[in-house]
């Protein structure tokens, strides 16, 4: 049985990571295991930024966004030498299991550790919600709530000035943030990478809406969409320019950016993080490895990590269709 268990956060930070760290530490202690915090993700693992944690190390963090363990994206860990240094540091501290809190890139790194005899379990945490085998990843709910608050405010100005607002949200290659927040704010159009779209149709919809008496319009754009013209570097500027030129209505662009990654986690994210992290440590306590935990249909489950990483990320097409129906006249 594992006695010393490490925990790290890797990739983009996500609200709820702290709630997961807290649960890993306290669950490990309840199983009479010794928890160790690894700072700055795989970067810190290579540089031996490892510290023993006690219950009070994780006091007062459940409500905080970000990650108290810090996060980083490490290129060095991808090298043979970097991986060896990481494994040697774990061996030096007699840590034989690690809980990895992060996205799919972080999970791939975890598989490399496993090849060197380290037990690993992944906990999905990214605002993008692009990890297969879980309905939601930690941080997504808070991020969409942040977008919803922002667009509620933008809508006040949009209606006062009778303008069109193109709001760009994060998500990397996934349209999930745009889809969920777009549906929740009543966006007039939602552009996501998973569903082909025509900007002419977006413009036509705007024209019809204005003719019917609507005086403003909200277009939510996922950062991962691509536009036909290669010379358009920033997608939301491309969409905004096209709309203004083709409708003649004043258009503004708002890029919400990293504000979506911060903030106190919502109830949903705190509960999800706590439940997933408890399950992750329980698996290690049972001697399991090479798995990721996830929530499907409200139940916490685990999957073989290699299988999970081979699955495709999907979006909820029912939500997409609903948003289209509700935004048509
Ligand atoms: O994966 C989370 C995320 O916020 C993506 O939505 C976004 O594309 C990316 O990270 C931004 O990365 P960085 O913080 O390194 O600019």
């Amino acid at each position: 049985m594992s006695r010393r268990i490490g925990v790290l956060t890797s990739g983009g930070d996500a609200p709820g990571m702290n709630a997961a760290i807290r649960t890993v530490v306290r669950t490990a202690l309840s199983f009479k295991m010794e928890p160790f915090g690894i700072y700055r993700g795989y970067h810190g693992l290579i540089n031996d930024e490892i510290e023993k944690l006690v219950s009070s190390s994780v006091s007062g963090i459940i409500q905080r966004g970000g990650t108290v363990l810090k996060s980083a994206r490490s290129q060095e860990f991808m090298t043979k030498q970097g991986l060896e240094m990481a494994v040697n540091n774990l061996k030096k501290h007699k840590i034989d299991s690690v809980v990895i809190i992060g996205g799919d890139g972080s999970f791939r790194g975890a598989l490399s550790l496993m090849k060197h005899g380290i037990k690993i379990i992944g906990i999905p945490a990214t605002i993008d919600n692009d990890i297969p085998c879980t309905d939601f990843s930690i941080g997504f709910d808070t991020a969409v709530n942040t977008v919803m608050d922002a667009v509620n405010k933008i809508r006040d100005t949009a209606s006062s000035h009778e303008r069109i607002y193109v709001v760009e949200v994060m998500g990397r290659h996934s349209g999930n943030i745009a889809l969920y927040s777009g549906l929740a704010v009543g966006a007039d159009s939602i552009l996501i990478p998973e569903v082909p779209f025509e900007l002419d149709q977006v413009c036509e919809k705007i024209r019809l809406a204005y003719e019917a008496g609507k005086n403003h319009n909200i277009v939510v754009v996922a950062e991962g969409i691509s536009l036909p013209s290669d010379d358009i570097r920033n997608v939301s500027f491309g969409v905004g320019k096209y709309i203004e030129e083709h409708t003649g209505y004043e258009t503004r662009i708002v890029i919400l950016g990293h504000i979506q990654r911060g903030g106190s986690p919502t109830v949903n994210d705190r509960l999800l993080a706590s439940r997933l992290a408890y399950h992750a440590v329980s698996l290690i306590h049972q001697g399991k490895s090479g798995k990721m935990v996830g929530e499907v249909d409200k139940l916490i489950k685990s999957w073989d990590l290699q299988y999970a990483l081979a699955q495709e990320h999907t979006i909820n097409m029912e939500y997409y269709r609903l948003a289209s129906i509700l935004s048509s006249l």
Side-chain angles (χ1 to χ4, degrees):
M1 191 191 75
S2 288
R3 288 246 69 92
R4 293 187 159 198
I5 177 172
V7 55
L8 64 81
T9 48
S10 164
D13 64 342
M17 278 182 160
N18 282 330
I21 295 166
R22 170 181 181 268
T23 304
V24 168
V25 170
R26 295 200 172 159
T27 306
L29 291 170
S30 79
F31 289 144
K32 309 279 178 256
M33 295 158 86
E34 288 179 76
F36 284 76
I38 300 160
Y39 290 84
R40 295 177 184 80
Y42 294 114
H43 178 78
L45 191 50
I46 292 170
N47 294 321
D48 198 13
E49 296 181 59
I50 300 175
E51 194 178 275
K52 189 172 170 166
L53 299 176
V54 293
S55 186
S56 60
S57 316
V58 290
S59 293
I61 66 168
I62 195 169
Q63 77 286 3
R64 284 170 58 189
T67 159
V68 292
L69 289 179
K70 317 287 181 206
S71 193
R73 303 187 204 269
S74 170
Q75 291 303 320
E76 201 184 352
F77 184 72
M78 311 287 179
T79 66
K80 191 167 173 279
Q81 198 197 5
L83 179 61
E84 269 169 20
M85 285 164 79
V87 172
N88 287 341
N89 283 330
L90 287 171
K91 288 192 175 151
K92 187 173 90 184
H93 292 278
K94 297 190 171 48
I95 297 169
D96 58 7
S97 61
V98 181
V99 172
I100 285 98
I101 304 170
D104 54 354
S106 313
F107 290 172
R108 283 178 225 282
L111 286 174
S112 316
L113 284 180
M114 198 168 82
K115 286 188 193 128
H116 285 76
I118 309 293
K119 291 196 191 76
I120 55 104
I121 302 286
I123 299 179
T126 162
I127 64 162
D128 301 339
N129 200 32
D130 60 349
I131 305 178
C133 299
T134 188
D135 290 342
F136 298 105
S137 53
I138 297 166
F140 174 70
D141 189 65
T142 308
V144 288
N145 274 285
T146 300
V147 174
M148 186 177 75
D149 287 346
V151 179
N152 287 344
K153 292 181 174 122
I154 290 166
R155 192 184 276 285
D156 290 342
T157 297
S159 80
S160 304
H161 285 265
E162 303 182 275
R163 281 176 185 158
I164 297 164
Y165 271 80
V166 173
V167 184
E168 180 183 307
V169 299
M170 279 187 166
R172 206 180 288 271
H173 306 298
S174 164
N176 266 322
I177 296 180
L179 180 56
Y180 276 69
S181 62
L183 181 55
V185 300
D188 298 276
S189 295
I190 301 171
L191 307 185
I192 55 177
E194 295 86 348
V195 182
F197 60 86
E198 294 287 341
L199 286 181
D200 284 336
Q201 277 173 13
V202 175
C203 293
E204 181 59 11
K205 211 171 166 185
I206 291 169
R207 261 186 241 108
L208 289 172
Y210 273 66
E211 274 164 32
K214 189 163 183 178
N215 68 353
H216 68 279
N217 209 277
I218 304 285
V219 179
V220 174
V221 172
E223 66 174 350
I225 62 161
S226 36
L227 295 176
S229 170
D230 285 347
D231 60 341
I232 300 172
R233 290 245 182 91
N234 180 290
V235 288
S236 48
F237 278 99
V239 171
K241 191 165 173 270
Y242 193 96
I243 290 175
E244 193 164 66
E245 279 172 9
H246 289 76
T247 63
Y249 296 119
E250 192 177 21
T251 305
R252 292 283 191 274
I253 291 115
V254 179
I255 300 174
L256 293 182
H258 287 84
I259 191 172
Q260 294 161 94
R261 289 240 293 265
S264 181
T266 57
V267 171
N268 284 341
D269 272 332
R270 295 182 199 195
L271 296 184
L272 180 66
S274 304
R275 292 166 65 228
L276 289 177
Y278 177 81
H279 196 59
V281 180
S282 303
L283 289 173
I284 286 183
H285 186 62
Q286 292 159 24
K288 306 256 170 65
S289 176
K291 306 221 168 268
M292 72 160 265
V293 289
E295 186 197 54
V296 175
D297 295 335
K298 309 249 180 267
L299 292 176
I300 302 295
K301 298 182 175 177
S302 63
W303 283 263
D304 181 73
L305 193 49
Q306 236 148 359
Y307 163 83
L309 288 174
Q311 303 310 299
E312 277 203 16
H313 136 80
T314 54
I315 57 145
N316 190 328
M317 278 309 289
E318 202 187 309
Y319 278 24
Y320 186 83
R321 282 189 288 272
L322 179 59
S324 305
I325 292 167
L326 298 181
S327 61
S328 29
L329 297 172

